[in-house]
């Protein structure tokens, strides 16, 4: 059983590393393969952005909002970043003109966020990148039957259920 546990841990680490490589290469791949999907006037600005996956997550969350303006605190609760990281991402996205910030007229302390047209284009590309990732994974998993996949899901969910170290 020890060999199987070692092999499983190694496989999980490898899968995590592959996902991190995917996220790191995400922007360059988008520039190389998906820049055709945005207007030519935005391509140079788009290429210069060198965005992180986390920033694209924020844009996608804003793009999916039903309201034109989203309260800062509401958006922050929807993404998995610390307050400090979220604040840095918002500052960078605002500087890049991918989102706009304003204050609510009746409450000057409340900050509202909206996505710009170019920010919306980045969010669309982010969605396409995840669709490509999903398709790649689906092709690899196609070799396994439903019972094998259910066992893998059960194992991974069990491992994810409680990651705290008990000492």
């Amino acid at each position: 059983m020890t060999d199987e546990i070692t092999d499983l841990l190694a496989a999980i680490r490898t899968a995590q590393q592959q996902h991190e490589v995917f996220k790191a290469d995400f922007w360059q791949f988008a520039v190389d393969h998906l820049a055709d999907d945005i207007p030519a006037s935005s391509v140079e600005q788009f290429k210069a952005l060198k965005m992180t996956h986390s920033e694209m997550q924020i844009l996608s969350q804003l793009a999916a909002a039903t309201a034109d303006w989203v309260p800062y605190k509401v958006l922050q609760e929807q993404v998995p970043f610390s307050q400090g990281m979220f604040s840095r991402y918002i500052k960078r996205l605002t500087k890049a003109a991918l989102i706009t910030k304003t204050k609510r007229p009746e409450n000057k302390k409340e900050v509202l966020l909206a996505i710009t047209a170019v920010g919306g284009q980045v969010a669309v590309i982010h969605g396409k990148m995840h669709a490509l990732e999903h398709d790649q994974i689906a092709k690899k998993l196609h070799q396994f039957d439903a019972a094998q996949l259910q066992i893998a899901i059960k194992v991974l969910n069990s491992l994810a259920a409680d990651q705290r170290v008990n000492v």
Side-chain angles (χ1 to χ4, degrees), residues 70-84:
V70 177
Y72 182 99
K73 289 187 183 240
V74 169
L75 184 62
Q76 184 181 2
E77 291 169 359
Q78 295 173 345
V79 293
F81 313 121
S82 69
Q83 184 176 347

Side-chain angles (χ1 to χ4, degrees), residues 156-167:
L156 293 172
N157 284 336
S158 175
L159 291 173
D162 189 358
Q163 288 288 326
R164 289 175 285 170
V165 177
N166 295 320
V167 273

Side-chain angles (χ1 to χ4, degrees), residues 2 12 16 22-25 29 48-49 63 89-90 93 111-113 118 129 139 151:
T2 304
I12 290 169
Q16 288 172 328
F22 175 82
K23 287 186 344 185
D25 292 344
F29 182 90
L49 292 174
Y89 292 144
I90 294 300
L93 293 169
V111 175
L112 301 173
L113 305 169
V118 175
M129 287 296 303
K139 286 177 187 172
I151 291 169

